[in-house]
Amino acid sequence: MKKSSIFGLIVIAIAIAVIISVYSSTSSYGNFNDAKKSSSELKVVGRLNKQKELHYDAIKDANYFSFYMRDTVGNECKVVFTGTKPEDFERSEQIVLTGKMIGNEFHASNILMKCPSKYTQDKLETKEYKAKQASI
């Protein structure tokens, strides 16, 4: 075999290995029931339950934050995040958690939040302004 053929086969083998490793490390979406059945990390989408307590005490333990979240099918679960509480967490419209169930708690390794649009107030003001202009 030529050296260029051997080099080409090695490059192809490395590319296949990289693709397989990237594919296997991605987590899929589910709900809290799916997380109970799965031993790997899962992404769960839901909303914060504002009626239940948020626990974060920066003086006692700055790397412990817990709250209750309701997933897209209505299941509620206590979520524990080993990190600081994200800024404006209570204002989030939707939360995407990456993690896994340990016992009856979902332990999140990452939190992504969809916050309310900062442009919503501007749209409201524009509609009010147009309504006033039309009445003049």
Side-chain angles (χ1 to χ4, degrees), residues 31-39 42 76-77 101 103-104:
N31 55 44
F32 289 128
N33 284 337
D34 297 335
K36 287 178 184 176
K37 299 172 190 171
S38 176
S39 61
L42 191 70
E76 186 175 270
C77 185
M101 290 294 281
N104 289 328

Side-chain angles (χ1 to χ4, degrees), residues 25 27 40-44 63 65 67 79-84 86 95-102 105-112:
S25 67
S27 56
S40 61
E41 281 202 337
L42 191 70
K43 291 185 181 184
V44 178
N63 290 321
F65 174 49
F67 57 95
V79 177
V80 175
F81 177 60
T82 53
T84 58
I95 303 168
V96 179
L97 303 172
T98 304
K100 58 184 172 180
M101 290 294 281
I102 298 177
E105 299 176 339
F106 187 83
H107 286 252
S109 59
N110 191 14
I111 297 177
L112 295 172

Side-chain angles (χ1 to χ4, degrees), residues 1-16:
M1 275 188 136
K2 293 182 181 179
K3 289 183 181 181
S4 61
S5 298
I6 294 172
F7 180 73
L9 288 173
I10 292 173
V11 169
I12 291 171
I14 291 172
I16 290 171

Side-chain angles (χ1 to χ4, degrees), residues 45-64:
V45 179
R47 296 186 184 277
L48 174 67
N49 184 346
K50 295 180 181 179
Q51 280 74 39
K52 294 205 175 176
E53 114 178 85
L54 296 162
H55 179 75
Y56 180 68
D57 188 355
I59 295 170
K60 224 176 181 181
D61 186 0
N63 290 321
Y64 181 86

